[in-house]
Amino acid sequence: MMTTEYPVYHEIRDENEEIAKAEAAIDTLAMQRDDRWYPKFHIASDGGWINDPNGLCRYKGRYHVYYQLHPYGTQWGPMHWGHVSSTDMVSWRREPVTMAPSLEEEGQGVFSGSAIVDDEGKLRFYYTGERYNNGVDRTDGQWQVQMAAIAEDDDATKLKKLGMVIDCPREKVSEHFRDPKVWKQDGVWTMIHGVSDVKGNGQLWLYTSEDMVNWTFQYVLFEDPDPDVFMLECPDFFPLKDKDGNTKWVIVFSAMGAKPKGYMNRNTSNAAYMIGTWTPGEPFKPETELRLLDCGANYYAPQSFETDGRRIMYGWMRPFNESAPMQHDGWCGQMTLPRECFLGEDGDLHTVPVPEVDNLRINTFEHTVKAVENNEEKLVLEDAEAVEIELNINLKDTTAERAGLKVHATPDGSYTYVAYDAQAGTVVVDRQAAARGNRGYRAAVLTADELAADELQLRVFVDRGSVEVYVNDGLHVLSDYSYPSEGERAVKLCSESGVLAVDSLTVHDIKSIGLE
Ligand code: FRU
């Protein structure tokens, strides 16, 4: 039995009352919700704003996705934790709001964190408490500390807060100090979280603990060498085997401050990874440069968990600083599909939808199309609400400069273009013809091997308000919001300035995950 006392616990609001108020606010928003872009097969809140996935785990036979939630509007605000759960990652059940800011140390929000099963089989949570220095607003800075909680029931719907476990050494930190990720390393409870140090460097600090309550700072696991980066949000750190069976470590963080360069860092903040090695007790040693986890315009704050020897990751489809039309519909924000992480033959990180996602397929249709001629468009689907499209492009016979799929193509002429750009050697999600939301495009840069291959493989998931594109078994992914106009939502194949040669085209209707 762990008997350690928790050091700090100051209730300033009644947790149950706060949760009841939050539930009522969500219900009000959900009642007025417009579903034109509300996801059929992505996790979202019934109403209100959501961001980062939190507390991902599988516990007592159920998968749990918690998330950052502002129940009182469709913009970011005082953070709560929302919750959905599932036995199969395919059909989901909505659970009550799990945490509201009720302690002094988290008076302005229960921020992001993770979950871990302790030695007694109990599910524990570590998250960040957010407080304003002046108690009123952020103008005098924030005071962020790490907090703990424990699940009281097998369904992990009711949490007991345990209070603060790590205070912020404020003389060493320039206010950003958050997002704990906990795991057990060689029998030792280990935590990392993001820090902006006094000089404004983005760092990951590592702690260890024997009792999961008293945590001792050990050392800086990683400091971002980019001088523009001032904070690493939502860190993650996990081992994967490479093709020769060697253990590599993947470090993941969402960096604030990096400047765009070419195709890199086009978003306000960018979630990226490096692959390398790690000996506990030492800093992480990168063996690759920094690479984006997802090249789309709307991806951020991923978190992973491990189950059955699989490493599964969810990310938040973040609307960044653009106008997000869904905010007028009573909700804002969705998760990506669950993605399994592995190192490919190429040595790089791949993220693909977990095989369970195939169970969402209903009605599969194989098209016989073999080519799309120069400047031609071919209708694939007249009206697609929720579909997965598998398109294998024959690279040897394709002469087009650019070719691919127009999705969410509506009668007013707007669409989102998922294309192979032969000139640039990229796969793009181009929203220049969007009637609503941000325009512009994002690109995944193909490697020399991919460009020299016979085939380019695309898996395109089209939901009511988003597009997720997996390239070549998840070596690249692009996730974007896409807001179709009124009327039928067609899918078309098209080819510009040359021929698009198609090896195969398969379309699956996708069923609901049960959260609408
Ligand atoms: C990332 C983030 C986290 C923080 C949370 C607050 O999107 O800023 O660093 O814990 O969101 O909602």
Side-chain angles (χ1 to χ4, degrees), residues 312-326:
I312 299 170
M313 183 178 271
Y314 278 93
W316 163 42
M317 289 192 61
R318 176 172 170 182
F320 289 101
N321 299 334
E322 65 212 45
S323 79
M326 60 192 153

Side-chain angles (χ1 to χ4, degrees), residues 51-52 68 76 79 111-112 128 178-179 233-234 300-301 316 318:
N51 51 282
D52 321 355
Q68 290 281 283
W76 191 90
M79 279 292 135
F111 274 16
S112 283
T128 297
R178 60 179 175 269
D179 306 340
E233 296 188 297
C234 301
Y300 201 62
W316 163 42
R318 176 172 170 182

Side-chain angles (χ1 to χ4, degrees), residues 20-30 47-48 71-73:
K21 271 200 311 204
E23 290 285 346
I26 292 171
D27 284 350
T28 306
L29 285 164
Y72 299 107

Side-chain angles (χ1 to χ4, degrees), residues 334-373:
Q334 68 184 40
M335 299 298 150
T336 62
L337 288 171
R339 298 175 184 172
E340 187 166 341
C341 305
F342 65 95
L343 297 179
E345 287 284 309
D346 49 24
D348 204 352
L349 182 68
H350 292 233
T351 61
V352 288
V354 295
E356 285 92 331
V357 168
D358 292 357
N359 299 330
L360 289 170
R361 292 173 175 169
I362 39 172
N363 304 331
T364 291
F365 185 73
E366 305 229 358
H367 284 254
T368 50
V369 57
K370 282 288 153 224
V372 183
E373 299 304 325

Side-chain angles (χ1 to χ4, degrees), residues 111 130-133 138 140-144 175-176:
F111 274 16
E130 159 81 345
R131 196 173 357 174
Y132 298 144
N133 279 336
R138 269 204 195 132
D140 292 330
Q142 331 162 66
W143 178 0
Q144 301 184 333
E175 79 172 341
H176 302 283

